[in-house]
Amino acid sequence: MGVTLARVAQWTAAGSGTGTLEITPWNKSLLNQIIKFTEDFSAKHPQEAAYVFREPLEWKTRLDSSAFGEGYQVRINEATVQSEAKDKDGQPLLILSASTLRVRSFDQLSRLLQIAVENKLKEAQACLEANRDPIVKILGPEYGTVEGEDTSILHLFDKVEKESGPETQLKMKIILLLHQLDLQLLNSSLKQISQDVRLNPAAVNNEVNLLKNFSGQGEDTVLESLEYTSDYMFSNGCRAPPWRQVHGEICYLVIKPHDTDPLYITCSTAGVFLNGGLLKGKDIDYERKSDLYKDIVTFLRERSPRFVENMAKQEYSFFKEPAHEKNYQHLEGAEISGQFQSFHDFTENRRKGKVCGKGKSSSAGSPGERSKPRMKWKSSGLSASHSDKAPKKNSEEEGRSSTVPLTTKKKASGKSKTVKIQETSKCKASSSFEDVGESSSETDEDEQPLRRQEGNTDLSAEYWGIQKLAKYVKGGDPTATVIALCSMRDFNLSQESCQLAIKDTGCLEVLINLLDTEEIKCQAGSLKILKEISQNVLIRHAIADLGGLEIMVKILDSPDTNLKCLAAETIANVARFKRARKIVRQHGGIKKLVELLDCISVGSSYQAKDTETARCGALALWSLSKSAINKKAIRRAGGIPLLARWLKCSHTDILIPVVGTLQECASEPSYRLAIRTEGMIENLVKNLSSEHEELQMHCASAIFKCAEDEETRDLVRKHEGLQPLSDLLGNSENKQLLAAVTGAIWKCAISTENVLKFQEYKTVETLVTLLTDQPEEVLINVIGALGECCQEQENRGTIRRCGGIAPIVKLLTATNQALLVNVNKAVGGCAMEPENMSIIDSLDGVRLLWSLLKNPNPDVQASAAWALCPCVENAKNSGEMVRSFVGGLELIVNLLKSKDKEVLTSVCAAIANIAKDEENLAVMTDHGVVPLLSKLANTNNNKLRRHLAEAIAHCCMWGSNRVAFGETKAVAPLARYLKSKDPLVHRATALALYQLSEDPNNCVIMHENGVVKLLLAMVGSTDDALQEAAAGCIANIRRLALATEKAKYG
């Protein structure tokens, strides 16, 4: 443990001093592993846990003496705690005095962590910060961590040989256990380190030089200036002093953006971060002041909006591009023959493995020049997308035209065929890939293609082999072109080096041009290659830039089925970003793709050819359906009934894209209606039992989205879909499938009938086991499902018996807003049982709920307030519990100023429960609850009316609040609530009017607003509470009238 803390843990003190542990994911992971080891130590190693440390571990704790219970002597007045467990000298093994904690055994450390509950992490952090080498205090200074060779275990073996007593044996076991923990921590750290991308001096220097090229005083420059703090460079390329290089630091920069103060940053092997700036005497404050970023550009994007804006305007090369011949010469018959012969020789050599890493230029115009990879700065990011610039020539003909046709001839059956290839003109990239009208239902791939690493690394033989082939693709006749394309397909096109070789040699433009010819074999060969290489994000963007999508959409009209399939599959790969999806839609691609689903044999027998055509069309529609506009276009093109028909097919290959498209589109209400009315729910349920996990996942995801509607939930139950969903919970390894299944269960559980079915299948018990060690997307759905199931009393008991309350309460400390909303509902549901409520209270759950009222998200605020209602109602001594939260009552009263209707409704409901305690009501009155409630009275929302009336009814019980409600004009609006059609509003309003009628002035206002006639009708209600309140209010009004009459007439 000492080795890990010294070498791996991240400390804030950059220079001298003890420092503190940074709150980073890395450190949290280390702390959690140490906490788990300590918590389990007492149970796994009871003898070693009882060992008394040489010196106590001492630190400043945040725990209060009141947190300690059984097994401790607590003196609350003196704020001291002593453990009942003592050493052989009678000294306590744990002492708390004036916030200083001293612990002398693992057993006490384990118990302390159990007491700390949600403060475990902070306590462990404080302990390790105060005891940088805890082994010294546990076993003695001779076992301390030293740099170099660790001799502590050898020292222990020597001691065992000399004194083989029980204490020495115990020490030996402890140090072996601690050594094992150290290895575990170092191994997990090593895994994390190996996954991190590390910067190096060359990469940093390149990035600085690039940014300097675009910096200066102009309006369109990305930065004003960027300078190193030191001009001296060491032999390893670093500019940081040697004593900082040991911390992985490379150099320090001063950056002046146009719109912020100067930024002082540190570039290290771990990433880029903001440091403390320059101190007096030109020293640097090395301490980290920000998060880590992968490079300088990423850091600046977060800090300077002007930087991002000006980056988007740049259209210049980062690197000087080599002169690359793009305009091809007319080839005479003899030249073609010679080329064909050399091409034949090349393919023969390649088959024999004789292709070497060097090759001649693929350009006919500059035979001695080698093509090199190039990079362009594209909009708001660094992109490898480029278009070749033709070098300047003296020829006027080349100066006049950017398009030089290449015509080649081939004799076949006595006829001459001509293939005309035109160069695609340079396409200007849009200054932004974003499109305002294009909304996506799922996260898009990064619209800014990743920057390609530039360096002097040797390129593979495949790279140069493809470059040599490019000459024959560009300049051969149809036969040579087809042979070249076939040979190119022999390469492993899934490798990035092969993909980028095609792009760098200018072959990509030619492949796209080939699509616009009349040679079907050339088109097919080109599409087969494009389909493979379009898996690369850079290639996808380049294809869109070069107008490839428009040509592919035209090919969808081809009579050749094979060509249509290849074009559709390539569109499916390319249309993974918004701009590409928009291009396909604008050129009529969606209607053509939908037509691919409309095969003659559908409905009778599914032929292999039809299935393949429909599969390719469905794949493309799946990619396109991530846009809301495209979803509507698919529906208008008649895609829904065709998808429904193919859903009845049994072939998994077609089912996966069909269901994938449906689940994407199910976010739209019109699609959910169609899925229900076209009878697709039955087929989705049927495919939940498929052997293919991907198909199961998409079916569950479709049900998840569709089950928002009650009719769909009933259909899922009717077609017996609840049991397969419950069974799929057992597959906890596939997290994507688990997220979809738990989501479907959550939405289905909104219906009470489905909850009863889930009880039969023991679904709640399985859901409780998924509350730990799951990603957030799974937890959100699991908690949501449990929150719905909690509405049934039996399930509340089941959650308690399965130990589910503690992990649910623990999740109240999460940060994900959607998760918090669901956790609040689940805690509120559990709190309806008094036994559950006592557990929630003991885990400090009510305080955590109250703290969520401060959350800026109105959904979290509302759900927390709703959850507090059953907590306050079912807690023992609830009044005292509420008063114990400092500033809690003021906080909830101030929420009445919210503009969110659901927050106001939930807070009114909570206030109605809190106001049942007289002291709490008095405090809320002092905080101005009466005028705030009165301001809400003029509302038409029945749900708010009901809870507002209840709150007013309970707030009338203190002092002159009845009079105050009358003065703040709350009575007349309340009288109008009686005209509502909601019986629950009637009941709450009658109770409020009954309380308000105790004040004579309020009775007059009620009479003037005609409440008597409305209340008379309610006196005959079957609801006893409504009946009594109505009668009581009328009686008070009548008594006032009689008193007035008697005073007037004697």
Side-chain angles (χ1 to χ4, degrees), residues 938 969-979 993 1001-1015 1037:
N938 288 302
K969 299 180 180 178
V971 179
L974 273 177
R976 292 195 290 274
Y977 291 5
L978 294 175
K979 296 176 183 177
L993 291 173
N1001 292 329
N1002 291 343
C1003 286
V1004 174
I1005 297 168
M1006 288 179 205
H1007 191 273
E1008 288 173 352
N1009 283 274
V1011 300
V1012 175
K1013 185 177 179 181
L1014 296 168
L1015 288 172
I1037 294 171

PDB file of all heavy atoms in Angstrom, residues 938 969-979 993 1001-1015 1037:
ATOM      1  N   ASN A 938     -54.345  31.383  -8.025  1.00  0.00           N
ATOM      2  CA  ASN A 938     -54.968  31.593  -9.347  1.00  0.00           C
ATOM      3  C   ASN A 938     -54.359  30.652 -10.383  1.00  0.00           C
ATOM      4  O   ASN A 938     -53.612  31.069 -11.260  1.00  0.00           O
ATOM      5  CB  ASN A 938     -54.796  33.049  -9.783  1.00  0.00           C
ATOM      6  CG  ASN A 938     -55.668  33.984  -8.972  1.00  0.00           C
ATOM      7  OD1 ASN A 938     -56.888  33.842  -8.947  1.00  0.00           O
ATOM      8  ND2 ASN A 938     -55.039  34.928  -8.275  1.00  0.00           N
ATOM      9  N   LYS A 969     -55.678  37.439  -0.308  1.00  0.00           N
ATOM     10  CA  LYS A 969     -56.626  37.150  -1.398  1.00  0.00           C
ATOM     11  C   LYS A 969     -56.528  35.716  -1.933  1.00  0.00           C
ATOM     12  O   LYS A 969     -56.520  35.479  -3.136  1.00  0.00           O
ATOM     13  CB  LYS A 969     -56.424  38.141  -2.550  1.00  0.00           C
ATOM     14  CG  LYS A 969     -56.667  39.586  -2.122  1.00  0.00           C
ATOM     15  CD  LYS A 969     -56.461  40.551  -3.264  1.00  0.00           C
ATOM     16  CE  LYS A 969     -56.703  41.988  -2.793  1.00  0.00           C
ATOM     17  NZ  LYS A 969     -56.477  42.975  -3.861  1.00  0.00           N
ATOM     18  N   ALA A 970     -56.472  34.759  -1.010  1.00  0.00           N
ATOM     19  CA  ALA A 970     -56.433  33.354  -1.415  1.00  0.00           C
ATOM     20  C   ALA A 970     -57.812  32.713  -1.384  1.00  0.00           C
ATOM     21  O   ALA A 970     -58.006  31.648  -1.971  1.00  0.00           O
ATOM     22  CB  ALA A 970     -55.493  32.584  -0.495  1.00  0.00           C
ATOM     23  N   VAL A 971     -58.794  33.346  -0.721  1.00  0.00           N
ATOM     24  CA  VAL A 971     -60.087  32.696  -0.482  1.00  0.00           C
ATOM     25  C   VAL A 971     -60.939  32.646  -1.753  1.00  0.00           C
ATOM     26  O   VAL A 971     -61.503  31.601  -2.104  1.00  0.00           O
ATOM     27  CB  VAL A 971     -60.852  33.411   0.658  1.00  0.00           C
ATOM     28  CG1 VAL A 971     -62.210  32.740   0.889  1.00  0.00           C
ATOM     29  CG2 VAL A 971     -60.025  33.401   1.937  1.00  0.00           C
ATOM     30  N   ALA A 972     -61.053  33.767  -2.467  1.00  0.00           N
ATOM     31  CA  ALA A 972     -61.914  33.813  -3.662  1.00  0.00           C
ATOM     32  C   ALA A 972     -61.479  32.811  -4.738  1.00  0.00           C
ATOM     33  O   ALA A 972     -62.320  32.075  -5.277  1.00  0.00           O
ATOM     34  CB  ALA A 972     -61.948  35.230  -4.221  1.00  0.00           C
ATOM     35  N   PRO A 973     -60.164  32.701  -5.072  1.00  0.00           N
ATOM     36  CA  PRO A 973     -59.756  31.680  -6.054  1.00  0.00           C
ATOM     37  C   PRO A 973     -60.073  30.263  -5.592  1.00  0.00           C
ATOM     38  O   PRO A 973     -60.460  29.415  -6.391  1.00  0.00           O
ATOM     39  CB  PRO A 973     -58.237  31.888  -6.178  1.00  0.00           C
ATOM     40  CG  PRO A 973     -57.991  33.291  -5.751  1.00  0.00           C
ATOM     41  CD  PRO A 973     -59.020  33.574  -4.693  1.00  0.00           C
ATOM     42  N   LEU A 974     -59.942  30.032  -4.254  1.00  0.00           N
ATOM     43  CA  LEU A 974     -60.251  28.698  -3.730  1.00  0.00           C
ATOM     44  C   LEU A 974     -61.717  28.346  -3.954  1.00  0.00           C
ATOM     45  O   LEU A 974     -62.056  27.192  -4.252  1.00  0.00           O
ATOM     46  CB  LEU A 974     -59.949  28.632  -2.223  1.00  0.00           C
ATOM     47  CG  LEU A 974     -58.507  28.268  -1.814  1.00  0.00           C
ATOM     48  CD1 LEU A 974     -58.375  28.334  -0.306  1.00  0.00           C
ATOM     49  CD2 LEU A 974     -58.137  26.885  -2.289  1.00  0.00           C
ATOM     50  N   ALA A 975     -62.572  29.331  -3.811  1.00  0.00           N
ATOM     51  CA  ALA A 975     -64.004  29.092  -3.997  1.00  0.00           C
ATOM     52  C   ALA A 975     -64.283  28.591  -5.417  1.00  0.00           C
ATOM     53  O   ALA A 975     -65.166  27.747  -5.633  1.00  0.00           O
ATOM     54  CB  ALA A 975     -64.786  30.375  -3.723  1.00  0.00           C
ATOM     55  N   ARG A 976     -63.484  29.060  -6.370  1.00  0.00           N
ATOM     56  CA  ARG A 976     -63.704  28.633  -7.763  1.00  0.00           C
ATOM     57  C   ARG A 976     -63.265  27.192  -7.992  1.00  0.00           C
ATOM     58  O   ARG A 976     -63.668  26.565  -8.974  1.00  0.00           O
ATOM     59  CB  ARG A 976     -62.955  29.573  -8.714  1.00  0.00           C
ATOM     60  CG  ARG A 976     -63.526  30.994  -8.753  1.00  0.00           C
ATOM     61  CD  ARG A 976     -62.993  31.765  -9.953  1.00  0.00           C
ATOM     62  NE  ARG A 976     -61.590  32.087  -9.835  1.00  0.00           N
ATOM     63  CZ  ARG A 976     -61.116  33.175  -9.209  1.00  0.00           C
ATOM     64  NH1 ARG A 976     -61.957  34.043  -8.650  1.00  0.00           N
ATOM     65  NH2 ARG A 976     -59.817  33.401  -9.148  1.00  0.00           N
ATOM     66  N   TYR A 977     -62.402  26.658  -7.120  1.00  0.00           N
ATOM     67  CA  TYR A 977     -61.948  25.271  -7.263  1.00  0.00           C
ATOM     68  C   TYR A 977     -63.121  24.295  -7.181  1.00  0.00           C
ATOM     69  O   TYR A 977     -63.041  23.187  -7.703  1.00  0.00           O
ATOM     70  CB  TYR A 977     -60.937  24.899  -6.171  1.00  0.00           C
ATOM     71  CG  TYR A 977     -59.588  25.583  -6.251  1.00  0.00           C
ATOM     72  CD1 TYR A 977     -59.324  26.579  -7.195  1.00  0.00           C
ATOM     73  CD2 TYR A 977     -58.552  25.235  -5.387  1.00  0.00           C
ATOM     74  CE1 TYR A 977     -58.088  27.204  -7.251  1.00  0.00           C
ATOM     75  CE2 TYR A 977     -57.318  25.848  -5.435  1.00  0.00           C
ATOM     76  CZ  TYR A 977     -57.097  26.840  -6.364  1.00  0.00           C
ATOM     77  OH  TYR A 977     -55.865  27.462  -6.407  1.00  0.00           O
ATOM     78  N   LEU A 978     -64.189  24.712  -6.495  1.00  0.00           N
ATOM     79  CA  LEU A 978     -65.340  23.817  -6.317  1.00  0.00           C
ATOM     80  C   LEU A 978     -66.045  23.531  -7.641  1.00  0.00           C
ATOM     81  O   LEU A 978     -66.835  22.590  -7.745  1.00  0.00           O
ATOM     82  CB  LEU A 978     -66.333  24.429  -5.320  1.00  0.00           C
ATOM     83  CG  LEU A 978     -65.828  24.574  -3.870  1.00  0.00           C
ATOM     84  CD1 LEU A 978     -66.849  25.308  -3.023  1.00  0.00           C
ATOM     85  CD2 LEU A 978     -65.520  23.215  -3.263  1.00  0.00           C
ATOM     86  N   LYS A 979     -65.774  24.343  -8.661  1.00  0.00           N
ATOM     87  CA  LYS A 979     -66.401  24.117  -9.973  1.00  0.00           C
ATOM     88  C   LYS A 979     -65.606  23.110 -10.815  1.00  0.00           C
ATOM     89  O   LYS A 979     -66.014  22.754 -11.909  1.00  0.00           O
ATOM     90  CB  LYS A 979     -66.496  25.440 -10.722  1.00  0.00           C
ATOM     91  CG  LYS A 979     -67.415  26.448 -10.037  1.00  0.00           C
ATOM     92  CD  LYS A 979     -67.404  27.782 -10.774  1.00  0.00           C
ATOM     93  CE  LYS A 979     -68.277  28.816 -10.026  1.00  0.00           C
ATOM     94  NZ  LYS A 979     -68.218  30.136 -10.692  1.00  0.00           N
ATOM     95  N   LEU A 993     -61.528  25.383   2.813  1.00  0.00           N
ATOM     96  CA  LEU A 993     -62.591  26.379   3.072  1.00  0.00           C
ATOM     97  C   LEU A 993     -63.143  26.232   4.479  1.00  0.00           C
ATOM     98  O   LEU A 993     -63.489  27.230   5.123  1.00  0.00           O
ATOM     99  CB  LEU A 993     -63.707  26.237   2.030  1.00  0.00           C
ATOM    100  CG  LEU A 993     -63.338  26.642   0.594  1.00  0.00           C
ATOM    101  CD1 LEU A 993     -64.470  26.305  -0.367  1.00  0.00           C
ATOM    102  CD2 LEU A 993     -63.008  28.136   0.514  1.00  0.00           C
ATOM    103  N   ASN A1001     -64.343  37.300   8.214  1.00  0.00           N
ATOM    104  CA  ASN A1001     -64.132  37.994   6.936  1.00  0.00           C
ATOM    105  C   ASN A1001     -64.054  37.017   5.772  1.00  0.00           C
ATOM    106  O   ASN A1001     -64.543  37.298   4.670  1.00  0.00           O
ATOM    107  CB  ASN A1001     -62.855  38.832   6.987  1.00  0.00           C
ATOM    108  CG  ASN A1001     -63.001  40.007   7.940  1.00  0.00           C
ATOM    109  OD1 ASN A1001     -64.096  40.537   8.111  1.00  0.00           O
ATOM    110  ND2 ASN A1001     -61.910  40.390   8.582  1.00  0.00           N
ATOM    111  N   ASN A1002     -63.442  35.866   6.054  1.00  0.00           N
ATOM    112  CA  ASN A1002     -63.347  34.849   5.009  1.00  0.00           C
ATOM    113  C   ASN A1002     -64.730  34.303   4.658  1.00  0.00           C
ATOM    114  O   ASN A1002     -65.022  33.998   3.498  1.00  0.00           O
ATOM    115  CB  ASN A1002     -62.442  33.696   5.455  1.00  0.00           C
ATOM    116  CG  ASN A1002     -60.988  34.123   5.551  1.00  0.00           C
ATOM    117  OD1 ASN A1002     -60.596  35.151   5.003  1.00  0.00           O
ATOM    118  ND2 ASN A1002     -60.175  33.348   6.258  1.00  0.00           N
ATOM    119  N   CYS A1003     -65.605  34.178   5.674  1.00  0.00           N
ATOM    120  CA  CYS A1003     -66.972  33.689   5.435  1.00  0.00           C
ATOM    121  C   CYS A1003     -67.721  34.630   4.495  1.00  0.00           C
ATOM    122  O   CYS A1003     -68.457  34.189   3.596  1.00  0.00           O
ATOM    123  CB  CYS A1003     -67.732  33.577   6.759  1.00  0.00           C
ATOM    124  SG  CYS A1003     -67.212  32.174   7.761  1.00  0.00           S
ATOM    125  N   VAL A1004     -67.500  35.920   4.696  1.00  0.00           N
ATOM    126  CA  VAL A1004     -68.166  36.916   3.849  1.00  0.00           C
ATOM    127  C   VAL A1004     -67.709  36.748   2.396  1.00  0.00           C
ATOM    128  O   VAL A1004     -68.523  36.745   1.456  1.00  0.00           O
ATOM    129  CB  VAL A1004     -67.852  38.346   4.346  1.00  0.00           C
ATOM    130  CG1 VAL A1004     -68.408  39.391   3.380  1.00  0.00           C
ATOM    131  CG2 VAL A1004     -68.431  38.553   5.745  1.00  0.00           C
ATOM    132  N   ILE A1005     -66.376  36.575   2.201  1.00  0.00           N
ATOM    133  CA  ILE A1005     -65.822  36.411   0.846  1.00  0.00           C
ATOM    134  C   ILE A1005     -66.379  35.143   0.194  1.00  0.00           C
ATOM    135  O   ILE A1005     -66.743  35.139  -0.987  1.00  0.00           O
ATOM    136  CB  ILE A1005     -64.276  36.371   0.887  1.00  0.00           C
ATOM    137  CG1 ILE A1005     -63.722  37.695   1.420  1.00  0.00           C
ATOM    138  CG2 ILE A1005     -63.695  36.083  -0.495  1.00  0.00           C
ATOM    139  CD1 ILE A1005     -62.250  37.661   1.774  1.00  0.00           C
ATOM    140  N   MET A1006     -66.458  34.084   0.982  1.00  0.00           N
ATOM    141  CA  MET A1006     -66.985  32.814   0.443  1.00  0.00           C
ATOM    142  C   MET A1006     -68.434  32.977   0.017  1.00  0.00           C
ATOM    143  O   MET A1006     -68.828  32.511  -1.064  1.00  0.00           O
ATOM    144  CB  MET A1006     -66.897  31.717   1.517  1.00  0.00           C
ATOM    145  CG  MET A1006     -65.497  31.232   1.813  1.00  0.00           C
ATOM    146  SD  MET A1006     -65.520  29.982   3.101  1.00  0.00           S
ATOM    147  CE  MET A1006     -63.880  30.144   3.759  1.00  0.00           C
ATOM    148  N   HIS A1007     -69.213  33.642   0.855  1.00  0.00           N
ATOM    149  CA  HIS A1007     -70.637  33.822   0.550  1.00  0.00           C
ATOM    150  C   HIS A1007     -70.798  34.647  -0.734  1.00  0.00           C
ATOM    151  O   HIS A1007     -71.638  34.344  -1.584  1.00  0.00           O
ATOM    152  CB  HIS A1007     -71.334  34.497   1.733  1.00  0.00           C
ATOM    153  CG  HIS A1007     -72.834  34.483   1.608  1.00  0.00           C
ATOM    154  ND1 HIS A1007     -73.520  35.465   0.927  1.00  0.00           N
ATOM    155  CD2 HIS A1007     -73.758  33.599   2.062  1.00  0.00           C
ATOM    156  CE1 HIS A1007     -74.810  35.186   0.966  1.00  0.00           C
ATOM    157  NE2 HIS A1007     -74.990  34.058   1.667  1.00  0.00           N
ATOM    158  N   GLU A1008     -69.964  35.669  -0.849  1.00  0.00           N
ATOM    159  CA  GLU A1008     -70.037  36.521  -2.039  1.00  0.00           C
ATOM    160  C   GLU A1008     -69.678  35.750  -3.308  1.00  0.00           C
ATOM    161  O   GLU A1008     -70.157  36.065  -4.399  1.00  0.00           O
ATOM    162  CB  GLU A1008     -69.087  37.714  -1.888  1.00  0.00           C
ATOM    163  CG  GLU A1008     -69.575  38.745  -0.863  1.00  0.00           C
ATOM    164  CD  GLU A1008     -68.522  39.810  -0.614  1.00  0.00           C
ATOM    165  OE1 GLU A1008     -67.373  39.652  -1.116  1.00  0.00           O
ATOM    166  OE2 GLU A1008     -68.821  40.795   0.106  1.00  0.00           O
ATOM    167  N   ASN A1009     -68.823  34.722  -3.171  1.00  0.00           N
ATOM    168  CA  ASN A1009     -68.388  33.943  -4.338  1.00  0.00           C
ATOM    169  C   ASN A1009     -69.242  32.688  -4.555  1.00  0.00           C
ATOM    170  O   ASN A1009     -68.861  31.808  -5.340  1.00  0.00           O
ATOM    171  CB  ASN A1009     -66.915  33.551  -4.195  1.00  0.00           C
ATOM    172  CG  ASN A1009     -65.986  34.716  -4.491  1.00  0.00           C
ATOM    173  OD1 ASN A1009     -65.628  34.974  -5.629  1.00  0.00           O
ATOM    174  ND2 ASN A1009     -65.614  35.457  -3.442  1.00  0.00           N
ATOM    175  N   GLY A1010     -70.360  32.593  -3.850  1.00  0.00           N
ATOM    176  CA  GLY A1010     -71.346  31.537  -4.114  1.00  0.00           C
ATOM    177  C   GLY A1010     -70.938  30.144  -3.729  1.00  0.00           C
ATOM    178  O   GLY A1010     -71.323  29.173  -4.407  1.00  0.00           O
ATOM    179  N   VAL A1011     -70.152  30.012  -2.638  1.00  0.00           N
ATOM    180  CA  VAL A1011     -69.715  28.664  -2.260  1.00  0.00           C
ATOM    181  C   VAL A1011     -70.827  27.844  -1.617  1.00  0.00           C
ATOM    182  O   VAL A1011     -70.803  26.616  -1.666  1.00  0.00           O
ATOM    183  CB  VAL A1011     -68.501  28.722  -1.291  1.00  0.00           C
ATOM    184  CG1 VAL A1011     -67.336  29.414  -1.921  1.00  0.00           C
ATOM    185  CG2 VAL A1011     -68.859  29.337   0.032  1.00  0.00           C
ATOM    186  N   VAL A1012     -71.831  28.513  -1.012  1.00  0.00           N
ATOM    187  CA  VAL A1012     -72.861  27.791  -0.244  1.00  0.00           C
ATOM    188  C   VAL A1012     -73.612  26.822  -1.147  1.00  0.00           C
ATOM    189  O   VAL A1012     -73.795  25.641  -0.818  1.00  0.00           O
ATOM    190  CB  VAL A1012     -73.832  28.781   0.437  1.00  0.00           C
ATOM    191  CG1 VAL A1012     -74.962  28.024   1.130  1.00  0.00           C
ATOM    192  CG2 VAL A1012     -73.080  29.647   1.437  1.00  0.00           C
ATOM    193  N   LYS A1013     -74.014  27.288  -2.299  1.00  0.00           N
ATOM    194  CA  LYS A1013     -74.782  26.437  -3.214  1.00  0.00           C
ATOM    195  C   LYS A1013     -73.948  25.229  -3.664  1.00  0.00           C
ATOM    196  O   LYS A1013     -74.445  24.095  -3.744  1.00  0.00           O
ATOM    197  CB  LYS A1013     -75.206  27.266  -4.425  1.00  0.00           C
ATOM    198  CG  LYS A1013     -76.111  26.525  -5.392  1.00  0.00           C
ATOM    199  CD  LYS A1013     -76.540  27.443  -6.537  1.00  0.00           C
ATOM    200  CE  LYS A1013     -77.433  26.666  -7.512  1.00  0.00           C
ATOM    201  NZ  LYS A1013     -77.857  27.531  -8.652  1.00  0.00           N
ATOM    202  N   LEU A1014     -72.658  25.472  -3.949  1.00  0.00           N
ATOM    203  CA  LEU A1014     -71.781  24.384  -4.391  1.00  0.00           C
ATOM    204  C   LEU A1014     -71.510  23.389  -3.273  1.00  0.00           C
ATOM    205  O   LEU A1014     -71.472  22.171  -3.489  1.00  0.00           O
ATOM    206  CB  LEU A1014     -70.453  24.961  -4.906  1.00  0.00           C
ATOM    207  CG  LEU A1014     -70.558  25.849  -6.164  1.00  0.00           C
ATOM    208  CD1 LEU A1014     -69.241  26.600  -6.403  1.00  0.00           C
ATOM    209  CD2 LEU A1014     -70.884  24.998  -7.387  1.00  0.00           C
ATOM    210  N   LEU A1015     -71.353  23.917  -2.045  1.00  0.00           N
ATOM    211  CA  LEU A1015     -71.077  23.040  -0.904  1.00  0.00           C
ATOM    212  C   LEU A1015     -72.299  22.214  -0.515  1.00  0.00           C
ATOM    213  O   LEU A1015     -72.170  21.073  -0.050  1.00  0.00           O
ATOM    214  CB  LEU A1015     -70.596  23.858   0.297  1.00  0.00           C
ATOM    215  CG  LEU A1015     -69.172  24.432   0.187  1.00  0.00           C
ATOM    216  CD1 LEU A1015     -68.881  25.379   1.347  1.00  0.00           C
ATOM    217  CD2 LEU A1015     -68.125  23.309   0.181  1.00  0.00           C
ATOM    218  N   ILE A1037     -70.546  29.566   8.034  1.00  0.00           N
ATOM    219  CA  ILE A1037     -71.123  30.705   7.291  1.00  0.00           C
ATOM    220  C   ILE A1037     -72.507  31.035   7.852  1.00  0.00           C
ATOM    221  O   ILE A1037     -72.858  32.215   8.020  1.00  0.00           O
ATOM    222  CB  ILE A1037     -71.201  30.369   5.788  1.00  0.00           C
ATOM    223  CG1 ILE A1037     -69.779  30.221   5.193  1.00  0.00           C
ATOM    224  CG2 ILE A1037     -71.976  31.438   5.025  1.00  0.00           C
ATOM    225  CD1 ILE A1037     -69.738  29.675   3.783  1.00  0.00           C
TER     226      ILE A1037
END
